[in-house]
């Protein structure tokens, strides 16, 4: 099991563009959460997907949206990119059947907005 | 609002010295506390959680509700402990952790 995988590894976009990041959860996990980690900060929760629905959402604008597919993989979409969106985006998966408490993180996607 | 404060951005010690990484939290209720670790070129991973009351890699952390703290301790630091450590908190039933900004631990030989 490769664990949580994310693609792409790095991405460079310009202001105003749109971006889609992808995440495949650890085998057996059904819940996916997305985090934004700015330089020198801890991860900040964006939202969580379970059963293809957004279950919880952090304090992020509607420009940030997501999707979960029947195979539990997930996408994070960001529209109208701002310079401040430059960050490491982390995906984490968990198993709701095991209490969902422990989150397993992916390696992240580094997004740079110019 | 829930908040996690890690007052030290960097902690530098010598091998064999005791280590204490501080974590204070703000939460009205009974939170669940975690420590996550990120070694160089590796992904973020759970180190320990307060409900488990275990010692992982020689590290322990005790939840002090009176002082609202969850400090991470190890009596004798090893070079391989060098990493970024994040304290995190979640409300009961939430499972969404709020992270502190992290403390970089450097253990010198």
């Amino acid at each position: 099991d490769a664990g949580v995988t994310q693609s792409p590894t790095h991405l460079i976009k310009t202001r105003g563009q749109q971006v889609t990041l992808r995440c495949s959860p650890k085998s057996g996990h059904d819940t996916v959460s997305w985090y934004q980690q700015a330089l020198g900060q801890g991860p900040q929760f964006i939202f969580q997907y379970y059963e293809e629905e957004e279950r919880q959402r952090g304090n992020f604008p509607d420009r940030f949206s997501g999707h979960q597919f029947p195979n539990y993989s997930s996408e994070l979409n960001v529209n109208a990119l701002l310079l401040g969106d430059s960050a490491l985006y982390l995906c984490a998966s968990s198993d709701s059947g095991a209490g969902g408490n422990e989150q397993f993180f992916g390696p992240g996607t580094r997004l740079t907005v110019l | 609002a829930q908040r996690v404060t890690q007052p030290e951005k960097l902690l530098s010690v010598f091998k064999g010295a005791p280590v204490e990484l501080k974590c204070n939290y703000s939460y009205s209720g009974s939170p669940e506390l975690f420590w996550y670790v990120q070694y160089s070129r590796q992904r973020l991973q759970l180190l320990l959680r307060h409900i488990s009351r275990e010692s992982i890699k020689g590290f322990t952390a005790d939840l002090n509700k009176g002082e609202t703290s969850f400090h991470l301790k190890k009596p004798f630091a090893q070079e391989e402990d060098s990493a970024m450590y994040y304290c995190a908190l979640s409300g009961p039933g939430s499972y969404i952790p709020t992270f502190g900004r992290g403390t970089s631990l450097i253990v010198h030989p």
Side-chain angles (χ1 to χ4, degrees), chain A residues 2-5 33 35 37 40-43 45 48 56 90 99-103 105-107, chain B residues 9 32 34 36 38 43-46 49 51 86 90 93-102:
Chain A
V4 179
T5 60
S33 302
Y35 295 82
Q37 186 174 19
Q41 302 295 320
F45 173 70
Q48 183 182 79
Q56 289 192 55
L90 296 171
N101 238 350
E102 182 172 358
Q103 302 212 334
F105 284 84
Chain B
K9 210 170 179 180
E32 184 161 358
F34 307 84
Y36 282 82
Q38 187 167 27
R43 56 189 68 187
L44 192 62
Q45 58 186 289
L46 179 67
R49 65 181 81 176
I51 58 170
Y86 294 94
S90 69
S94 166
Y95 310 131
I96 305 298
T98 296
F99 286 85
R101 67 172 182 176

Side-chain angles (χ1 to χ4, degrees), chain B:
Chain B
Q2 58 195 54
R3 181 177 297 170
V4 176
T5 302
Q6 293 180 251
E8 303 138 331
K9 210 170 179 180
L10 172 67
L11 187 61
S12 183
V13 301
F14 285 99
K15 178 182 170 182
V19 168
E20 182 179 55
L21 290 92
K22 292 184 167 47
C23 172
N24 291 91
Y25 67 89
S26 171
Y27 185 83
S28 52
S30 296
E32 184 161 358
L33 275 297
F34 307 84
W35 276 99
Y36 282 82
V37 62
Q38 187 167 27
Y39 301 101
S40 179
R41 297 192 190 88
Q42 294 187 29
R43 56 189 68 187
L44 192 62
Q45 58 186 289
L46 179 67
L47 179 63
L48 55 79
R49 65 181 81 176
H50 88 272
I51 58 170
S52 302
R53 294 184 170 273
E54 353 172 60
S55 171
I56 306 291
K57 299 185 179 183
F59 283 98
T60 59
D62 291 318
L63 178 60
N64 186 323
K65 291 185 178 180
E67 295 182 359
T68 59
S69 69
F70 187 56
H71 303 327
L72 184 67
K73 299 176 185 178
K74 185 169 182 176
F76 308 103
Q78 303 298 315
E79 288 177 68
E80 55 265 31
D81 296 328
S82 295
M84 197 73 186
Y85 291 81
Y86 294 94
C87 181
L89 167 162
S90 69
S94 166
Y95 310 131
I96 305 298
T98 296
F99 286 85
R101 67 172 182 176
T103 297
S104 176
L105 173 65
I106 299 175
V107 181
H108 300 281

